[in-house]
Amino acid sequence: MADPLQFVDEALRELAERSLLRANVSIDSPQGPQVERGGRTLVNLTSNDYLSLAADPRVRRAAADAAERHGAGAGASRLLGGDLPIHRELEVAVAEFKGTEAAMVFPSGYHANTGIIPALVGEGDAVFSDELNHASIIDGCRLSHAERVVYRHADPGDLEGRLRRTRARRKLIVTDSLFSMDGDLAPLPEICDVAERHGALVMVDEAHATGLYGEGAGLCTEQGVAERVQVQMGTFGKALGSSGAYVAGEARLIRFLVGRCRSYVFTTALAPPACGAALEAIRIVRSPEGQALRARLRSHAALFESDLERAGTRPIAAGSHLFAVIVGEPDAAMRASERLEANGLFVRAVRPPTVPPGTSRLRASVCAGHSIEQLRRAAAAIGAVALEAEPEPPRRKVGA
Ligand SMILES: *Cc1c(COP(=O)(O)O)cnc(C)c1O
């Protein structure tokens, strides 16, 4: 009898040959600036826990308290009896934090993007998406059945040319605010200018910027465009050290989305411990301590960048705490990552399809909880392995 899973063996073999096999990368401790892995303590440069709040004792306690008061799980979707007081409390806190009329929360950023975009546009409409947008945005665009128009990365001129040529009824522009693979920022004021000239909606994904820019509220606030962006989305799973996501905007928009996002209607509500942790993290991020954490992260990032350059590499660095050192091919990137781990550093290789072919890279994120000594050691070691890997010039391709 033929083996119906034979295609799985073939796919696994082929991916392994091309160094593109993906598997879980395990740690044996809580998330933090250093982690336990394989019986060793490694300096951790893989984490999105940028303010080192995931293991903060106050955030942990808030999660435990929320479980005590509200239960481990919500028990149902928000529309069918799973709407608990802590969800409403979190939504009020998010709206206040973001300076919007209202907010709603999702179990994850993936849920948010795959729910919001199809709720806003459909057949006969068009969605304009930056070529380096996160996969959850790409999937949201695909699910929407709107015409998908991919514009050149962070290029308002290219975006405007494409908007000029469309005949779509409704137009939505969607972009990350901080791009996680290159660490650069979207030109939000110019994107809003273009949107206003063409009557388009703007949606910004602040997953990597929430907690860090604009006093924590995000890059829309930092760049002064919060009032011009109709849909401000972000997550609790990165700098806020928890889990889940939000969208903030006008009350009428939120009322509309509550009933229209399939990924909101047809899923169990965000778990109470995640809500409790997010509430506490927002409180910390908005306090003077949050300001101090952001200042520390900024000075850490500046030091790391100058040390990488001193070590002879040219990181893709665009003024954030995220660094990419292009190595070229997937196997070279994997070998570089293994050598760093042997040196006590946890730095992952990022390969296609997450990044374009030929741009496999080492990605390092600096966190507030790192020590200066840890960062200096990491930058020197990354510089040394990257130089040996002899990177090819990056090739980029438009298309999602
Ligand atoms: C991580 C991320 C998401 C997904 O958020 P999760 O809460 O992890 O599902 C969405 N958008 C961007 C830009 C991200 O970086």
Side-chain angles (χ1 to χ4, degrees):
M1 198 180 73
D3 175 6
L5 277 177
Q6 195 189 335
F7 75 98
V8 169
D9 296 330
E10 284 161 12
L12 289 172
R13 191 173 333 111
E14 199 228 351
L15 287 168
E17 276 164 13
R18 294 164 58 207
S19 294
L20 291 177
L21 191 61
R22 295 173 152 216
N24 295 335
V25 176
S26 308
I27 58 175
D28 307 314
S29 64
Q31 189 58 255
Q34 54 182 41
V35 289
E36 302 294 318
R37 180 166 146 85
R40 300 168 61 220
T41 302
L42 305 175
V43 178
N44 182 16
L45 292 135
T46 68
S47 182
N48 300 324
D49 180 26
Y50 306 128
L51 297 178
S52 306
L53 290 176
D56 182 282
R58 295 161 296 176
V59 176
R60 290 168 134 168
R61 199 169 318 114
D65 288 349
E68 287 290 344
R69 280 188 295 132
H70 301 282
S77 71
R78 297 285 296 279
L79 279 72
L80 285 177
D83 182 23
L84 306 178
I86 199 164
H87 293 125
R88 276 120 53 197
E89 193 188 332
L90 178 57
E91 287 170 345
V92 167
V94 169
E96 209 181 281
F97 179 38
K98 298 287 293 180
T100 57
E101 282 178 359
M104 66 193 272
V105 298
F106 291 80
S108 75
Y110 192 88
H111 281 82
N113 284 335
T114 54
I116 295 166
I117 297 168
L120 294 174
V121 287
E123 232 172 285
D125 303 329
V127 55
F128 298 79
S129 175
D130 185 290
E131 66 177 309
L132 295 189
N133 275 346
H134 189 261
S136 57
I137 294 178
I138 296 171
D139 290 358
C141 294
R142 287 179 180 162
L143 281 170
S144 74
H145 301 295
E147 181 196 352
R148 285 181 281 129
V149 184
V150 176
Y151 64 89
R152 270 215 307 274
H153 175 53
D155 186 341
D158 185 60
L159 167 63
E160 181 148 40
R162 292 172 194 272
L163 268 159
R164 218 176 264 128
R165 290 194 292 274
T166 186
R167 297 169 149 223
R169 182 182 50 160
R170 190 152 60 231
K171 301 170 274 282
L172 170 68
I173 300 166
V174 56
T175 183
D176 283 19
S177 62
L178 168 54
F179 290 88
S180 66
M181 290 303 145
D182 288 8
D184 61 334
L185 305 173
L188 297 177
E190 291 77 9
I191 288 173
C192 289
D193 291 344
V194 170
E196 284 159 16
R197 282 198 287 274
H198 295 272
L201 278 161
V202 181
M203 171 171 171
V204 175
D205 178 338
E206 299 260 34
H208 288 277
T210 300
L212 303 185
Y213 292 88
E215 304 288 295
L219 198 67
C220 291
T221 300
E222 171 123 343
Q223 295 191 349
V225 297
E227 308 275 304
R228 302 167 71 193
V229 171
Q230 290 79 25
V231 189
Q232 296 186 58
M233 174 272 177
T235 67
F236 304 128
K238 287 163 182 155
L240 298 182
S242 174
S243 198
Y246 65 81
V247 57
E250 288 185 35
R252 59 184 172 159
L253 173 77
I254 302 305
R255 259 199 319 277
F256 171 81
L257 290 175
V258 161
R260 290 293 291 271
C261 293
R262 292 175 61 81
S263 63
Y264 180 88
V265 173
F266 297 106
T267 198
T268 299
L270 181 59
C275 297
L279 276 162
E280 178 62 9
I282 291 171
R283 189 196 63 73
I284 294 171
V285 155
R286 297 187 72 183
S287 73
E289 183 187 345
Q291 212 152 357
L293 286 171
R294 285 188 288 278
R296 184 174 158 89
L297 185 64
R298 271 195 303 275
S299 86
H300 272 8
L303 172 81
F304 194 70
E305 180 172 355
S306 68
D307 273 12
L308 276 178
E309 279 165 2
R310 183 152 342 126
T313 63
R314 273 187 303 127
I316 303 181
S320 80
H321 57 290
L322 298 177
F323 297 87
V325 176
I326 304 270
V327 171
E329 293 310 314
D331 56 338
M334 293 302 284
R335 276 200 311 275
S337 160
E338 283 159 19
R339 289 197 40 208
L340 289 169
E341 185 159 349
N343 275 319
L345 299 166
F346 193 28
V347 180
R348 298 309 299 173
V350 185
R351 297 165 286 169
T354 307
V355 294
T359 72
S360 288
R361 63 196 65 189
L362 293 169
R363 177 177 180 272
S365 54
V366 169
C367 298
H370 283 128
S371 71
I372 286 176
E373 184 277 327
Q374 287 173 330
L375 294 175
R376 300 212 95 141
R377 190 152 67 79
I382 292 170
V385 299
L387 279 185
E388 272 173 41
E390 295 267 310
E392 290 178 21
R395 293 188 295 266
R396 257 200 196 145
K397 212 174 75 195
V398 176

